[in-house]
Amino acid sequence: MIQQLKTILNRGNLLPGFVISLILTVILGFSATPALATGVYQVPTVSSGDQTWVVELDGVLSRSTEGRLNNSLSELAKKTGYEVRFLTIRRLDYGETIETFSEKVFQKWYPTPEVATNQTLLVLDLLTNNAAIQTGEKTKSLLTDEIAESVVEKTLKYPLRKGDKYNEAFIAASDRISTVLSGEPDPGPPIEQDNISVESTFKSAEETDDASATIIVVVLLIVATVVPMATYYYFQANRS
C-alpha cells in the first residue's frame, strides 16, 4: 500500500519529496493499525560475525541488489574486519524517531563497546524515507560522524528524492561506506543536478489535456441546459 501511494503521488513529479512524505505520514497515521509499526523487539537479532548483511522487514530491494550487497559487505568484512549492515522497516512506533530506533537496534545487536567497535548499522524507515546510521568507536576512525551523516543525507537519500530508487540508494551507500572503510579516500556524495525549468510558449501535454477536459465539460453543461429548454419551447409552440 505504501509503495502504491508513493507511486501515485510521485507520478509526474508534481510534489516535492517532503510534501509526499508528509501526506503519507498523515494518511497512514490515521489508517494504519499499530501492527504496521515496527518495534525493536520485532527486529531479528544479528550478532557480530553473522553472515547476515541486509535485514528487510518490508522488502523493497530486488534479489540482485541484495545479492550484490551481501557479496560486497561480506568481502569488506573479510578484508578489513569492519562489518556493515542495512535494515529497512515499515513504520516507526508512536513516539519513536529513526535515531532512537537505530540506537536501540545497535545496542540489541552489539551490547558491549568491544563487540560494537567495528560495526556499522544503517536503518531506513520506508514510510518517511528517514534514515540513521550508527557506528562503533573503531569504525569512527575512518567513517567519521561527518562522513556518516553525508552518506545518509546525500548518498542514500539522493536516489530516494528522485523517486524512491531504493536499489540505487543502497548500492550507492554501500559502495561509499566500503570505500571509506577500506582505507581509501572518501569519494564523496553524488553531484545533485537541479532540474532547470525553461519557460515555453507551448502548452504541455498535461495543460492540453486539462484544457480539453474543461472545454468538454463546458460543452456538456451547455448542451444539458439548452437542449431541454429548446425542447420545451418547441412543444409549447406546437401546442399553440
Side-chain angles (χ1 to χ4, degrees):
M1 177 181 178
I2 294 174
Q3 299 308 317
Q4 292 174 338
L5 286 171
K6 286 184 177 179
T7 300
I8 294 171
L9 293 172
N10 272 314
R11 191 168 296 161
N13 294 322
L14 296 177
L15 296 175
F18 76 92
V19 175
I20 293 174
S21 295
L22 180 60
I23 292 173
L24 287 171
T25 301
V26 173
I27 293 175
L28 295 183
F30 284 105
S31 63
T33 62
L36 291 177
T38 303
V40 175
Y41 67 93
Q42 294 174 284
V43 178
T45 299
V46 178
S47 301
S48 175
D50 286 354
Q51 294 300 302
T52 299
W53 309 106
V54 180
V55 178
E56 284 206 271
L57 299 188
D58 195 350
V60 293
L61 300 180
S62 66
R63 290 186 178 180
S64 61
T65 295
E66 280 201 48
R68 176 171 172 176
L69 292 174
N70 285 327
N71 292 335
S72 175
L73 298 178
S74 177
E75 185 63 28
L76 175 69
K78 292 177 183 178
K79 184 173 67 173
T80 67
Y82 291 108
E83 297 184 358
V84 179
R85 292 181 173 87
F86 296 129
L87 169 64
T88 65
I89 63 173
R90 308 178 191 90
R91 177 174 177 263
L92 291 169
D93 269 333
Y94 179 76
E96 195 85 79
T97 68
I98 192 63
E99 288 78 16
T100 59
F101 182 87
S102 62
E103 288 176 3
K104 292 175 183 177
V105 174
F106 193 76
Q107 292 172 1
K108 175 183 178 180
W109 287 3
Y110 318 115
T112 66
E114 293 75 21
V115 173
T117 188
N118 64 334
Q119 301 294 335
T120 299
L121 171 63
L122 192 157
V123 183
L124 175 68
D125 170 21
L126 298 175
L127 177 64
T128 62
N129 280 348
N130 285 330
I133 190 169
Q134 300 292 327
T135 56
E137 286 304 315
K138 183 180 178 181
T139 304
K140 290 180 186 295
S141 64
L142 294 174
L143 189 65
T144 63
D145 290 341
E146 181 180 0
I147 295 176
E149 182 180 0
S150 177
V151 168
V152 169
E153 296 300 327
K154 297 181 179 180
T155 304
L156 179 75
K157 289 189 177 182
Y158 178 51
L160 301 184
R161 288 193 291 269
K162 293 193 299 180
D164 292 341
K165 298 181 179 181
Y166 293 104
N167 294 288
E168 180 182 333
F170 276 97
I171 289 174
S174 174
D175 289 347
R176 185 177 177 190
I177 292 173
S178 296
T179 298
V180 172
L181 292 182
S182 296
E184 300 177 20
D186 177 22
I191 299 175
E192 300 192 23
Q193 297 180 349
D194 296 328
N195 293 325
I196 300 175
S197 178
V198 179
E199 186 175 354
S200 173
T201 57
F202 298 97
K203 290 185 177 181
S204 65
E206 291 80 3
E207 291 173 334
T208 302
D209 291 341
D210 290 343
S212 300
T214 301
I215 293 173
I216 292 173
V217 170
V218 172
V219 170
L220 289 175
L221 288 174
I222 293 174
V223 171
T225 303
V226 173
V227 170
M229 292 179 61
T231 303
Y232 172 79
Y233 286 118
Y234 173 78
F235 282 109
Q236 290 295 324
N238 287 339
R239 285 182 180 179
S240 58

